[in-house]
Amino acid sequence: MLSFARRLLGRPLPRRESDSQRLPSLIALPILSSDALSSVAYATEAALGVLLLAGSGALGLSLPITVCIVGLIAIVVLSYRQAIEAYPEGGGSYVVARENLGAWAGLVAAAALLVDYTLTAAVSLMAAAQALSSLLPGLLAHETSLSLLLLALVGWANLRGLKEAGRLFVVPTYAFVVMVALLALFGLQNIVFAHGFRPDAPPAIAALEPLGLFLILRAFSAGCSAMTGIEAIANGVKVFREPSARRAQATLLVMGVLLALLFLAVSGLAYLYGIAPNPDRTVLAQIGLRVFGPGNPLYWFLQISTLLILGLAANTAFAGFPRLAALLAKDRYLPRQMAWLGDRLVFQNGIGLLLLVSALVIVVCRGNTNVAINLYALGVFLAFTLSQAGLVKHWWVRRGQGWSGRLALNALGAFTTGVVFAVIVVSKFDEGAWIVVLLLPLLVWGLAGIGRRYKRVYDAIELKPGEDCSVPWPDRRDPLENQSIVWLASWSRPTLEALRYAAQVSDRVIGVWVCEPEDDFEALRLRWHRLVGDAPQFELRLLESPFASLIDPFAQFVAEEEARCPGSQFTIVMPMAIPRRRFDHLLLNQRGLNMREALNAQHSRVFTLVRYFPPA
Amino acid sequence: MLSFARRLLGRPLPRRESDSQRLPSLIALPILSSDALSSVAYATEAALGVLLLAGSGALGLSLPITVCIVGLIAIVVLSYRQAIEAYPEGGGSYVVARENLGAWAGLVAAAALLVDYTLTAAVSLMAAAQALSSLLPGLLAHETSLSLLLLALVGWANLRGLKEAGRLFVVPTYAFVVMVALLALFGLQNIVFAHGFRPDAPPAIAALEPLGLFLILRAFSAGCSAMTGIEAIANGVKVFREPSARRAQATLLVMGVLLALLFLAVSGLAYLYGIAPNPDRTVLAQIGLRVFGPGNPLYWFLQISTLLILGLAANTAFAGFPRLAALLAKDRYLPRQMAWLGDRLVFQNGIGLLLLVSALVIVVCRGNTNVAINLYALGVFLAFTLSQAGLVKHWWVRRGQGWSGRLALNALGAFTTGVVFAVIVVSKFDEGAWIVVLLLPLLVWGLAGIGRRYKRVYDAIELKPGEDCSVPWPDRRDPLENQSIVWLASWSRPTLEALRYAAQVSDRVIGVWVCEPEDDFEALRLRWHRLVGDAPQFELRLLESPFASLIDPFAQFVAEEEARCPGSQFTIVMPMAIPRRRFDHLLLNQRGLNMREALNAQHSRVFTLVRYFPPA
């Protein structure tokens, strides 16, 4: 088993490899922005999907919606530049909200982010599967399996700790940017020269709903999924070379501009080519097909680079979720195991949890990204709002040079993202937003509950000031004040070893044999005396078991003895043979483990395994 | 969890309830013969299914085949009456083969029986589902799920230990016998009066294969599935009131006669009514429909009693398989856990294993019983042959009054069942018998392998004659010769308790703290000295961990210390806080368990948990 896991995941990495190398901006940019940039692969489509409900005539509204969202992007990018200034160590929404707005706000932000990371992984991989099945229609029926396969791949890479391959990530992001740029160039050229700049009419599709403000807001909310992932650079300031904050700010700006351009390009081309969403082929693929033509290798490059950048976006979630979970575990809002580093220096428990939950989301959604995208935008904007509001508080408290302008900008950010959050909740409530409205409080309640339990447990085991905390060395002329109770089940070497150890460390040794109906009491007594002789410190107890369990009578006997001598120390000694082959473990009596549980329940304090290792 | 399991399975039963009550023959008969009698619900159909391949004209051959099988039944019943005489304590094929023909023959019989029990459970429940879906055609598409549901029901009843309901089992078996008898009476009356004793012609179905000897042998092999379950009474002699052997012999005879009559009746009626097997409705249901008419409640009674007796037959497997597995575990051919009695005084591990494997068979067969029936008859006849051959040896060795006649009868039994075994292997090889031919040796090899491993393991831990087996009481004026190594991870009450215990039972205590990069060495040293003062017996070791694991450096340190002082005894002490709520277990550091594994691997002998139970 062990060696299989090791082969799958690689040899343990020494800690020093954990110190992440600082990266130049041109390499940090693609690594940190794959999530944000890749969202243009589905955001336009999500907005068009809503507009289409009002008939193909309404599709043109995607242009003003896109422009609004680009405005939002500008506000949020500028706000986050200030977050980098305030938290050059990397200020995720959780940290900013907790430090400025208190523990509860921090937990709300954390819950929103956990939901978000999960949905990022799921949505990106479902979109990646769609990018592939647009290319190979034979895969259409297998999109869910394909998404799960990609998920397994990304999970495996992360469990291995894929830092080694970090620089490889540069290629797909830049390739995607280049491909969309080419798409825009060729597309515009086509339109201008071949069509004389007349947009194509979309295929006539009848309206299912009237076109109203509410529908437009819904389309806007769906399009807001383009804004996911913007906070990644603000979280990852430490990745940059010095002066890291300055570099991060510059990179964030570049990323914002790129995102806005790509989004405008995709929405614009979709409008010019009159493209309506269609379940068999993504909007981006439809544009590619129209611009490049079906046989053109550029079309293939476009789809493949889309697939790859979406995979990278999922990968971002696999970096962010475990890191946040570890942070929460260190703050004792999640089980401590989430903060354990594995052999490959990754938080493997967080990765495992994310794998599980995002697989569930993929299976539940069955490849339809719409609901997930709704939920997702919601979490993103909640985290935006809390983080911006936290910064407002930050500037208000710290002041410093030019604080009022900074405060105003973050207040604008908090306000607009807050309004968008409210718009999404209301407009998408029926389409899944209610899930998040239900889930977030539950998550927050769960995190806070774990925090409360931890506080209780640690309070109970903490050494109080004034408590007697000395461990004196005992006087060896006194008795040891320790009695041992040894589990007897066979007359074998492990039993012999256990008795010898017990005699070594106690004043009195009680051997206990729980009898099965066929056991011969007299023979057992005789055998005992042959072993231990006549020393009065050795006692044998033969217990009958009224029920089938052999462990319960033993545990009960221990509880009775301990109750009879409350001042005295008892050591429960369990002989155990450890066979040389792992497989043989299954063959030997496994009662030891059950015994430990049963004695836990009886509040018995000291449990000792005396192991016997048979010679080769 | 515990309370849920208890509610599902019932309170623990005291051992005395395990002494099975002795039963009068009229109650033991239906309990022990449900397996054998129920097989007429599918045996005729299995034979007809093969004959149909040669066209509907060949169906009439089922009559001579049935007569042959009835002859076989007579031989086997008479042979088993002698088995009861030889083994009045209950002589299953495993015991008889092992005692007379040696361990290997015993294992072959055991493997055949294990396969058999599994297939009995699977085939009976699939046939039960068919009986129900013949009645309610809407269930046809859900036969597999239905079988699994019935399996869960039977498994649950057995995990509860259904002895309480034993007498209830009487009803379905007698009901089935009565219903088939009624079927025969009404059927014959119909035929004689309405048809003037002319058999109906079956529906014309074209031949797919020529009618040859091989096809007839295949049909015969399929029909032999009627003979499954005959050995049950010989296994269960102890269930009868005294004189139990005599009563069992008489009951076996009655059972044989009943089985022969029912089988003849079903095959005869199928012939007279010209019935051909058909996937939508079982042969028995077709007869019932023709005899009673569709609306008649008697038809419903027939199907329901068929369903119930088949459920009982599966139940027989659930009694037999775990009992045999426990027997094999006591003889150390299976892991000892198979011999553990649960709270409800049943071998729950065997029941669980049977549940698992028979569910697998049902899923793989997808409701088609044909392949399973082939495999099944094979195991039955192999067990018959070995048991009869064992008895031949038995009579040869023991002699006694009239031994030669007995030997001759068992020899005849062994010979005929051996020939049938060979016929089935050859004629059904393509249709699944090859699976058993492959599986049985594998199973035998596995059982023997486990036996060999057990022998090794027990040899290694056994006290050898002449070995020093005394446990002297040590002289308390000497040093204890015990050193403790205490795992430190926090300065808390559990740690304090662990250090105090270690000081109590050792000459020297080493506290080991495995440092994370952020730990402050000087502060740790200071804290240590405040706890333990200046006693020279206390030592602190601060270890750095080059890799992420905190456990590996500790385990390595232990190994080094133990290697440095090979004569000395080391006790590894692990502090552990046991929270009051079960849920809180998840929150506390689980490293203790991993530690035990790591120290196992290092061959460290004594591992002690010092538990701290926070006060309420």
Side-chain angles (χ1 to χ4, degrees):
Chain A
M1 277 306 292
L2 200 88
S3 73
F4 173 71
R6 185 147 290 179
R7 197 166 300 176
L8 197 66
L9 299 180
R11 64 180 176 79
L13 294 178
R15 270 181 197 272
R16 58 192 145 70
E17 295 192 16
S18 173
D19 302 338
S20 56
Q21 302 148 311
R22 297 296 180 113
L23 300 175
S25 305
L26 277 179
I27 293 196
L29 169 68
I31 291 179
L32 292 172
S33 63
S34 62
D35 182 7
L37 297 181
S38 70
S39 52
V40 307
Y42 46 79
T44 302
E45 178 151 12
L48 290 176
V50 178
L51 292 172
L52 192 61
L53 294 174
S56 42
L59 291 178
L61 281 171
S62 69
L63 282 189
I65 287 177
T66 301
V67 171
C68 285
I69 293 174
V70 166
L72 262 180
I73 291 175
I75 294 176
V76 170
V77 163
L78 292 175
S79 302
Y80 266 106
R81 277 168 59 88
Q82 301 197 153
I84 293 173
E85 197 184 328
Y87 290 89
E89 290 294 291
S93 302
Y94 167 61
V95 173
V96 174
R98 189 193 58 192
E99 304 225 328
N100 294 294
L101 307 175
W104 283 100
L107 288 183
V108 173
L113 285 172
L114 289 178
V115 170
D116 241 39
Y117 283 128
T118 311
L119 293 170
T120 302
V123 166
S124 301
L125 294 176
M126 287 191 283
Q130 286 171 352
L132 196 59
S133 70
S134 298
L135 206 56
L136 306 166
L139 293 175
L140 264 176
H142 308 289
E143 276 183 358
T144 304
S145 325
L146 200 58
S147 310
L148 291 174
L149 192 73
L150 291 170
L151 178 67
L153 210 70
V154 173
W156 168 76
N158 275 279
L159 284 172
R160 271 193 78 101
L162 37 51
K163 291 188 194 81
E164 310 158 295
R167 279 158 194 263
L168 269 183
F169 288 9
V170 171
V171 180
T173 310
Y174 282 132
F176 180 73
V177 171
V178 168
M179 287 316 301
V180 177
L182 283 181
L183 193 68
L185 279 180
F186 282 88
L188 281 176
Q189 188 210 27
N190 277 357
I191 292 280
V192 173
F193 290 93
H195 299 227
F197 210 69
R198 259 186 317 117
D200 293 352
I205 294 168
L208 299 171
E209 296 182 22
L211 181 64
L213 178 64
F214 196 67
L215 189 94
I216 295 175
L217 287 180
R218 275 164 61 199
F220 168 77
S221 301
C224 281
S225 55
M227 296 186 57
T228 57
I230 292 186
E231 73 287 0
I233 290 180
N235 289 343
V237 180
K238 280 208 273 185
V239 167
F240 288 87
R241 286 212 180 128
E242 292 297 343
S244 51
R246 289 269 298 286
R247 280 176 199 267
Q249 286 180 317
T251 309
L252 179 57
L253 205 58
V254 173
M255 195 269 282
V257 171
L258 274 180
L259 175 59
L261 288 177
L262 294 187
F263 190 37
L264 281 171
V266 173
S267 293
L269 288 169
Y271 170 69
L272 291 174
Y273 280 99
I275 281 167
N278 138 6
D280 292 349
R281 184 166 277 147
T282 65
V283 166
L284 192 59
Q286 288 185 60
I287 300 174
L289 211 52
R290 294 282 285 279
V291 172
F292 298 135
N296 196 321
L298 285 177
Y299 172 57
W300 280 76
F301 286 150
L302 174 68
Q303 289 307 101
I304 302 273
S305 66
T306 310
L307 168 73
L308 290 178
I309 197 177
L310 284 165
L312 280 196
N315 191 68
T316 310
F318 270 90
F321 182 99
R323 210 183 293 138
L324 177 60
L327 215 58
L328 287 167
K330 281 205 175 133
D331 291 346
R332 298 190 182 160
Y333 291 117
L334 277 180
R336 307 278 294 173
Q337 289 93 311
M338 288 292 170
W340 288 4
L341 270 183
D343 277 342
R344 300 290 293 185
L345 302 176
V346 294
F347 300 111
Q348 77 275 47
N349 292 330
I351 294 177
L353 185 63
L354 179 58
L355 263 174
L356 208 76
V357 183
S358 50
L360 202 72
V361 173
I362 291 176
V363 169
V364 168
C365 290
R366 287 176 175 277
N368 180 345
T369 50
N370 284 336
V371 175
I373 282 181
N374 291 339
L375 305 184
Y376 177 27
L378 208 61
V380 172
F381 277 86
L382 182 53
F384 280 164
T385 310
L386 284 168
S387 140
Q388 305 303 324
L391 285 172
V392 171
K393 178 87 181 293
H394 176 87
W395 301 124
W396 178 257
V397 173
R398 304 281 171 98
R399 311 270 162 139
Q401 204 191 2
W403 66 274
S404 55
R406 295 200 170 90
L407 187 147
L409 181 55
N410 280 131
L412 176 67
F415 177 75
T416 44
T417 53
V419 168
V420 174
F421 173 71
V423 166
I424 302 180
V425 168
V426 173
S427 68
K428 292 287 184 180
F429 195 84
D430 291 346
E431 290 168 73
W434 62 270
I435 302 176
V436 173
V437 172
L438 224 71
L439 187 66
L440 277 184
L442 271 178
L443 250 177
V444 170
W445 176 79
L447 293 173
I450 291 178
R452 253 194 326 274
R453 296 301 316 159
Y454 259 122
K455 201 172 145 21
R456 278 240 176 125
V457 169
Y458 278 105
D459 274 358
I461 66 173
E462 211 172 47
L463 294 172
K464 298 282 181 300
E467 196 174 345
D468 171 24
C469 292
S470 66
V471 184
W473 191 259
D475 186 341
R476 277 286 169 264
R477 284 159 305 182
D478 295 339
L480 292 172
E481 300 291 3
N482 184 36
Q483 308 187 31
S484 288
I485 301 179
V486 182
W487 165 264
L488 303 177
S490 66
W491 305 113
S492 59
R493 288 182 184 167
T495 306
L496 202 67
E497 298 281 323
L499 287 171
R500 282 180 183 157
Y501 177 77
Q504 198 177 352
V505 300
S506 353
D507 303 319
R508 177 178 169 230
V509 173
I510 313 172
V512 175
W513 187 296
V514 184
C515 300
E516 302 238 36
E518 64 268 25
D519 285 335
D520 175 353
F521 280 40
E522 224 19 72
L524 290 175
R525 282 214 186 82
L526 220 72
R527 196 67 205 267
W528 169 260
H529 283 296
R530 263 202 288 161
L531 271 191
V532 302
D534 293 325
Q537 292 91 341
F538 283 112
E539 265 177 55
L540 175 68
R541 290 296 177 88
L542 299 174
L543 303 180
E544 279 185 277
S545 63
F547 296 95
S549 167
L550 301 182
I551 289 174
D552 291 350
F554 183 81
Q556 208 186 332
F557 173 78
V558 168
E560 284 165 11
E561 283 294 305
E562 295 193 330
R564 226 158 44 89
C565 322
S568 187
Q569 168 68 53
F570 281 87
T571 300
I572 313 308
V573 181
M574 185 84 196
M576 204 174 211
I578 307 291
R580 303 180 66 78
R581 295 207 203 171
R582 284 182 85 80
F583 168 77
D584 291 347
H585 274 281
L586 292 175
L587 303 181
L588 282 186
N589 237 306
Q590 301 285 312
R591 292 199 207 254
L593 302 178
N594 301 348
M595 181 72 78
R596 196 171 55 80
E597 280 292 311
L599 292 173
N600 265 357
Q602 301 278 14
H603 283 205
S604 169
R605 277 185 62 242
V606 182
F607 181 74
T608 294
L609 288 173
V610 176
R611 289 175 287 204
Y612 175 77
F613 298 91
Chain B
M1 276 307 292
L2 202 88
S3 73
F4 172 72
R6 185 147 289 179
R7 195 167 300 175
L8 197 67
L9 299 180
R11 64 181 176 80
L13 295 177
R15 271 182 196 272
R16 58 192 144 73
E17 295 191 17
S18 172
D19 303 339
S20 56
Q21 303 148 311
R22 296 298 181 111
L23 300 174
S25 307
L26 277 179
I27 293 199
L29 168 67
I31 290 179
L32 292 173
S33 63
S34 61
D35 182 9
L37 297 181
S38 70
S39 52
V40 307
Y42 46 79
T44 302
E45 178 152 11
L48 291 177
V50 178
L51 292 172
L52 192 61
L53 293 174
S56 41
L59 291 178
L61 281 172
S62 69
L63 283 189
I65 286 177
T66 301
V67 171
C68 285
I69 294 174
V70 167
L72 261 180
I73 292 175
I75 293 176
V76 171
V77 164
L78 293 175
S79 302
Y80 266 106
R81 276 169 59 88
Q82 299 196 154
I84 294 173
E85 197 183 327
Y87 290 89
E89 292 293 292
S93 302
Y94 167 59
V95 174
V96 174
R98 190 194 55 192
E99 303 226 328
N100 294 295
L101 306 175
W104 283 100
L107 287 183
V108 173
L113 285 171
L114 289 177
V115 170
D116 241 38
Y117 282 128
T118 310
L119 293 170
T120 301
V123 166
S124 301
L125 294 175
M126 286 191 283
Q130 287 171 352
L132 197 60
S133 70
S134 298
L135 206 56
L136 306 166
L139 293 176
L140 264 176
H142 308 288
E143 276 183 359
T144 304
S145 324
L146 199 60
S147 310
L148 291 175
L149 191 74
L150 291 170
L151 179 66
L153 210 72
V154 172
W156 168 75
N158 276 279
L159 285 172
R160 271 193 77 100
L162 38 49
K163 289 187 195 83
E164 311 158 295
R167 279 158 196 261
L168 269 182
F169 288 8
V170 171
V171 181
T173 309
Y174 282 132
F176 180 72
V177 171
V178 168
M179 288 315 302
V180 177
L182 283 181
L183 193 69
L185 280 180
F186 283 89
L188 281 177
Q189 188 210 28
N190 277 356
I191 292 280
V192 172
F193 290 93
H195 298 228
F197 210 69
R198 260 188 316 120
D200 292 353
I205 293 167
L208 297 172
E209 296 182 21
L211 181 64
L213 177 64
F214 196 67
L215 189 93
I216 297 176
L217 287 180
R218 275 164 61 199
F220 168 78
S221 302
C224 281
S225 55
M227 297 186 58
T228 57
I230 292 186
E231 73 287 1
I233 290 182
N235 289 343
V237 180
K238 279 207 275 186
V239 166
F240 289 86
R241 288 211 179 128
E242 291 297 339
S244 53
R246 288 269 298 286
R247 280 176 198 266
Q249 287 180 318
T251 309
L252 179 57
L253 204 59
V254 173
M255 197 271 283
V257 171
L258 274 179
L259 174 60
L261 288 177
L262 295 186
F263 191 37
L264 281 171
V266 173
S267 292
L269 288 167
Y271 170 69
L272 292 175
Y273 280 99
I275 280 166
N278 136 10
D280 291 349
R281 186 165 274 146
T282 65
V283 165
L284 191 59
Q286 288 186 61
I287 300 174
L289 211 53
R290 295 282 285 278
V291 171
F292 297 133
N296 195 321
L298 284 178
Y299 172 57
W300 279 77
F301 287 150
L302 173 69
Q303 288 308 102
I304 303 272
S305 66
T306 309
L307 167 73
L308 291 179
I309 197 175
L310 284 165
L312 281 196
N315 190 69
T316 310
F318 270 89
F321 182 98
R323 208 183 295 138
L324 178 60
L327 215 59
L328 287 168
K330 281 205 176 134
D331 292 347
R332 298 187 181 162
Y333 290 119
L334 277 180
R336 307 278 293 173
Q337 289 93 312
M338 288 293 169
W340 288 3
L341 271 183
D343 278 342
R344 300 289 295 182
L345 301 177
V346 294
F347 300 111
Q348 76 275 47
N349 293 330
I351 295 177
L353 185 63
L354 179 57
L355 262 174
L356 207 75
V357 183
S358 50
L360 201 73
V361 173
I362 291 176
V363 169
V364 168
C365 291
R366 288 176 173 276
N368 180 346
T369 51
N370 283 338
V371 174
I373 283 181
N374 291 340
L375 304 185
Y376 178 27
L378 207 60
V380 173
F381 278 86
L382 182 53
F384 280 164
T385 309
L386 285 168
S387 141
Q388 306 303 325
L391 286 171
V392 170
K393 178 87 179 293
H394 176 86
W395 302 124
W396 179 257
V397 174
R398 302 282 171 97
R399 311 271 162 137
Q401 205 189 3
W403 67 273
S404 55
R406 295 200 168 88
L407 188 147
L409 182 54
N410 281 130
L412 177 66
F415 177 75
T416 45
T417 53
V419 169
V420 173
F421 173 72
V423 167
I424 302 180
V425 169
V426 173
S427 69
K428 292 287 183 179
F429 195 84
D430 291 347
E431 290 168 71
W434 62 269
I435 302 177
V436 174
V437 171
L438 224 69
L439 187 66
L440 277 183
L442 271 179
L443 250 176
V444 170
W445 176 79
L447 293 172
I450 291 177
R452 250 196 327 273
R453 296 301 315 160
Y454 261 122
K455 199 171 144 25
R456 277 240 177 124
V457 170
Y458 279 103
D459 274 357
I461 65 174
E462 213 173 46
L463 293 172
K464 299 285 181 300
E467 195 174 346
D468 171 23
C469 292
S470 66
V471 184
W473 191 260
D475 186 340
R476 276 287 169 260
R477 285 160 303 183
D478 294 340
L480 293 172
E481 300 289 5
N482 184 35
Q483 309 187 30
S484 289
I485 301 179
V486 181
W487 164 265
L488 303 177
S490 68
W491 306 112
S492 60
R493 289 182 183 168
T495 305
L496 203 68
E497 299 280 321
L499 287 172
R500 283 179 183 157
Y501 178 78
Q504 198 177 354
V505 300
S506 356
D507 303 319
R508 177 176 170 233
V509 173
I510 312 172
V512 175
W513 187 295
V514 183
C515 301
E516 303 237 34
E518 65 266 26
D519 286 334
D520 174 354
F521 281 40
E522 224 20 72
L524 291 174
R525 283 214 185 82
L526 220 70
R527 196 67 207 267
W528 169 261
H529 282 295
R530 263 202 288 159
L531 272 191
V532 301
D534 294 325
Q537 292 90 342
F538 283 112
E539 264 177 57
L540 175 68
R541 290 296 176 89
L542 299 174
L543 303 181
E544 280 185 276
S545 63
F547 296 96
S549 167
L550 301 183
I551 289 174
D552 291 349
F554 183 82
Q556 208 186 331
F557 173 78
V558 168
E560 284 166 10
E561 283 294 305
E562 295 192 331
R564 226 157 44 88
C565 320
S568 187
Q569 168 70 52
F570 281 87
T571 300
I572 313 308
V573 181
M574 185 86 196
M576 204 175 211
I578 308 290
R580 303 180 66 78
R581 296 208 203 169
R582 282 182 87 80
F583 168 76
D584 290 348
H585 274 280
L586 292 176
L587 302 182
L588 283 184
N589 236 307
Q590 302 285 314
R591 292 199 207 255
L593 303 177
N594 301 348
M595 180 74 76
R596 196 171 55 80
E597 281 293 311
L599 292 174
N600 266 358
Q602 301 280 15
H603 282 208
S604 168
R605 279 185 62 240
V606 181
F607 180 72
T608 293
L609 288 172
V610 176
R611 287 174 288 203
Y612 174 76
F613 299 91

